[in-house]
Amino acid sequence: MSATVYKNYINGTWVASSSGETFENRNPANHDDVIGVFQRSNEADVKAAVDAAAAAYMKWRLVPAPKRGEILYRVAARLTANKEQFSRDMTREMGKILIETRGDVQEAIDMTYYMAGEGRRLFGMTTPSELPNKFNMTVRQPVGVCGFITPWNFPMAIPSWKMMPALICGNTIVIKPATDTPMSVVNLMKACEEEGVPPGVVNMVTGPGGSTGEALMNDDRVRIVSFTGSTEVGRRVSTACAPKFKHLCLEMGGKNVIIIMNDADLELAVEGVLWGAFGTSGQRCTATSRVIMHKDVAAKFTSMLVERAKNIKVGNGLEDSVQMGPVVNQSQVDTVLKYIEIGKADGARLECGGQRLTGGAYDKGYFIQPTVFSGVTRNMRIWKEEIFGPVLGMGTFNTFEEAIELANDTAYGLSASIYTRDVNKAYVAMRDVYTGIFYVNAPTIGAETHLPFGGTKETGNGHREAATAALDVFSEWKSIYVDFSGTIQRAQIDNAD
Ligand code: NAD
């Protein structure tokens, strides 16, 4: 049976790339399973998509925000109705287990409902004037065409984090999904199409980062670029956008830490570390990749954790009993195995895992054992560099102050956590660990859509996604002064005594 061909979505229609070229999307748990054939888009396709978005913007920005919200409510309902199918498609295209892909689609549903509700808020401010008979207020105005470049690890959630706030603010969009996960964005586009998002308001071009992505971020008519991916590519995007003063929202890498204090509930902490480190096969920007333990509990905690990690069932995420799926592609396999060798060479102790799984069904996919290193110290590369796979590095500390210092000893600043029963220490950690997200007695993953999401240092560039913070990315403030005095009134001058 030949694979289904999926086209680009431009101006409300499904069109083939003018390049005439396509690429295949295969299941990382089973190479024989072809999810579909997608368009390898070129600059002309991107231009056509931006043309459509620019034309549609002139109307969409004037649709009352509550009306835009009504359309988003319908899109959210459609995503809800199709949740199971979309989750299965996602497990097939990127590998994470079904309960996690259901969570990914649910995040898109939550974000869509949340932003639909913003249609009746989008609050500005009224504030007194310093002059008599004068009225002051602020309103949010849309910016124009947005270009989105997204990664493969949250194939529907991350696109929705960008799309829904952009749309409610009155912008139009062009999205380029990751080459490993175009299907989930096709599903998102279909939901928009079926629920009456007008032609040109949302557009999708599939294809590689180097050509399709670059064409999108370099188009002068794209006024906002929102990128989620590696810090390395984010730096390129940042450099490309700077000369044009494009608005730019960057969400990049992480090296997230869990601190285990000597008064922690160790059973609870084991559950948290397993979920944080091996959920999505460690391929989350918020994945727990470092654990630091108080020396008094280090040996006990390590053996409790390793015992559990060894027994994680790895396999095809569509099977109910499987607890961890494959990594996404061959290049991820190579990277993860390379870091395992680096860890060993740097002197960390391999406690479990460390191998690619082979034999039987494993030969058809990209499966790696859950891997735990102990004895990891700050000079090692597996302490410093993002691995983005099922590899956890564990180290120790002597004092709470040292724990805070070690937690902050990273170029990134996305997420961190502490397990403790001491409320004072929890509050100090909340204050002193410099990340965008912090958890107490929970792992480093588990963001909710109505709180800001993003990180400090090399994780981001100061913006936040989700919550009302996202509205600040996708709108610009306009301050409006209405003088009804009938006279010329000069601010700072005519109100002087
Ligand atoms: P990546 O940087 O390789 O790719 C991200 C996107 O950029 C893809 O769509 C890719 O095609 C595109 N791209 C690649 N080269 C490009 C170029 N030269 N110009 C324009 N676009 C280009 O990242 P990935 O492997 O897809 O995702 C993993 C990374 O994403 C990890 O570093 C992870 O931490 C990060 N991430 C961060 C967050 C966050 O919110 N902070 C969330 C998820 C993933």
Side-chain angles (χ1 to χ4, degrees):
M1 201 178 76
S2 63
T4 309
V5 176
Y6 294 94
K7 296 180 177 169
N8 286 334
Y9 185 60
I10 298 177
N11 209 19
T13 49
W14 297 90
V15 287
S17 165
S18 58
S19 73
E21 292 176 31
T22 55
F23 62 95
E24 266 182 1
N25 181 13
R26 285 179 185 259
N27 184 339
N30 175 7
H31 304 323
D32 295 342
D33 179 22
V34 181
I35 285 110
V37 171
F38 295 82
Q39 307 300 308
R40 187 177 291 277
S41 307
N42 58 18
E43 211 176 317
D45 303 323
V46 172
K47 183 178 174 306
V50 178
D51 285 347
Y57 175 66
M58 302 316 287
K59 279 192 184 163
W60 182 247
R61 75 184 185 90
L62 297 177
V63 173
K67 287 278 163 212
R68 296 196 290 255
E70 283 168 22
I71 297 175
L72 293 195
Y73 276 121
R74 295 202 301 267
V75 172
R78 172 70 60 163
L79 295 175
T80 308
N82 293 343
K83 179 174 168 182
E84 192 56 24
Q85 183 58 48
F86 290 174
S87 307
R88 287 181 176 273
D89 287 347
M90 195 186 293
T91 292
R92 276 178 68 209
E93 77 169 346
M94 72 75 65
K96 64 186 173 187
I97 59 176
L98 257 181
I99 57 160
E100 292 191 57
T101 52
R102 288 187 190 120
D104 193 308
V105 177
Q106 188 59 46
E107 214 168 298
I109 293 166
D110 295 344
M111 182 59 79
T112 309
Y113 274 125
Y114 182 90
M115 288 300 162
E118 277 305 311
R120 288 194 181 268
R121 288 184 292 268
L122 285 180
F123 295 134
M125 175 177 74
T126 61
T127 185
S129 169
E130 64 186 43
L131 292 159
N133 298 320
K134 196 176 166 194
F135 187 86
N136 294 348
M137 62 186 158
T138 63
V139 294
R140 290 184 183 276
Q141 55 189 333
V143 184
V145 178
C146 306
F148 298 154
I149 300 175
T150 53
W152 44 263
N153 62 340
F154 279 86
M156 189 175 278
I158 290 178
S160 78
W161 291 0
K162 300 180 190 302
M163 273 173 63
M164 303 313 166
L167 293 177
I168 203 66
C169 288
N171 305 283
T172 55
I173 70 145
V174 178
I175 181 166
K176 187 213 85 67
T179 34
D180 285 309
T181 53
M183 187 70 223
S184 294
V185 177
V186 166
N187 285 337
L188 204 45
M189 292 294 122
K190 279 189 187 155
C192 290
E193 180 188 31
E194 285 161 3
E195 296 306 334
V197 174
V201 170
V202 297
N203 305 274
M204 178 201 69
V205 280
T206 54
S211 48
T212 319
E214 297 232 356
L216 180 57
M217 71 195 188
N218 286 323
D219 190 306
D220 285 350
R221 294 164 302 164
V222 172
R223 295 309 310 152
I224 304 179
V225 174
S226 182
F227 168 86
T228 300
S230 60
T231 298
E232 187 190 348
V233 175
R235 192 167 279 120
R236 288 174 68 99
V237 176
S238 179
T239 309
C241 292
K244 302 284 181 191
F245 307 113
K246 291 187 183 197
H247 295 205
L248 176 61
C249 176
L250 297 170
E251 295 292 344
M252 301 173 289
K255 194 73 195 170
N256 314 292
V257 68
I258 293 184
I259 301 169
I260 313 280
M261 295 304 299
N262 48 356
D263 66 347
D265 176 341
L266 295 187
E267 297 282 350
L268 181 69
V270 165
E271 296 299 331
V273 172
L274 289 171
W275 178 228
F278 302 117
T280 315
S281 309
Q283 303 169 116
R284 288 180 183 230
C285 49
T286 50
T288 307
S289 55
R290 296 182 296 152
V291 165
I292 48 175
M293 303 161 285
H294 191 282
K295 63 174 188 344
D296 292 351
V297 294
K300 183 171 181 205
F301 187 75
T302 305
S303 76
M304 286 167 72
L305 183 84
V306 169
E307 204 41 48
R308 293 284 305 278
K310 275 188 206 161
N311 290 311
I312 290 175
K313 185 171 176 200
V314 182
N316 187 328
L318 289 175
E319 290 166 23
D320 280 344
S321 60
V322 165
Q323 294 167 303
M324 191 180 96
V327 298
V328 76
N329 56 30
Q330 182 61 46
S331 145
Q332 281 298 114
V333 171
D334 296 342
T335 306
V336 173
L337 294 179
K338 179 189 84 180
Y339 273 108
I340 291 171
E341 290 312 311
I342 290 171
K344 288 194 246 174
D346 280 353
R349 229 177 0 268
L350 184 63
E351 296 279 354
C352 68
Q355 304 281 329
R356 181 171 182 170
L357 287 157
T358 53
Y362 286 139
D363 285 342
K364 289 186 187 268
Y366 304 116
F367 299 98
I368 296 182
Q369 291 173 324
T371 299
V372 178
F373 280 105
S374 64
V376 176
T377 52
R378 63 203 304 169
N379 56 329
M380 294 182 185
R381 282 182 65 190
I382 60 167
W383 170 275
K384 295 184 213 167
E385 297 172 24
E386 186 181 48
I387 302 172
F388 223 58
V391 180
L392 175 68
M394 302 177 75
T396 56
F397 60 86
N398 292 304
T399 64
F400 177 58
E401 292 67 32
E402 189 190 352
I404 300 286
E405 207 262 313
L406 285 170
N408 283 326
D409 179 35
T410 166
Y412 300 107
L414 186 52
S415 183
S417 137
I418 188 167
Y419 279 82
T420 181
R421 291 186 171 105
D422 182 334
V423 70
N424 293 356
K425 288 204 170 57
Y427 268 89
V428 172
M430 277 184 241
R431 185 191 62 196
D432 291 347
V433 177
Y434 182 46
T435 53
I437 304 169
F438 193 83
Y439 294 89
V440 177
N441 293 331
T444 54
I445 64 178
E448 300 177 28
T449 53
H450 52 300
L451 276 76
F453 183 95
T456 62
K457 299 193 274 186
E458 290 189 20
T459 295
N461 62 341
H463 295 286
R464 291 291 182 271
E465 296 202 300
T468 49
L471 304 175
D472 293 330
V473 172
F474 294 109
S475 63
E476 280 195 281
W477 285 114
K478 182 179 276 177
S479 298
I480 300 175
Y481 303 91
V482 183
D483 191 322
F484 53 97
S485 68
T487 59
I488 173 77
Q489 298 199 88
R490 296 164 297 179
Q492 292 89 39
I493 296 171
D494 290 334
N495 64 344
D497 288 335

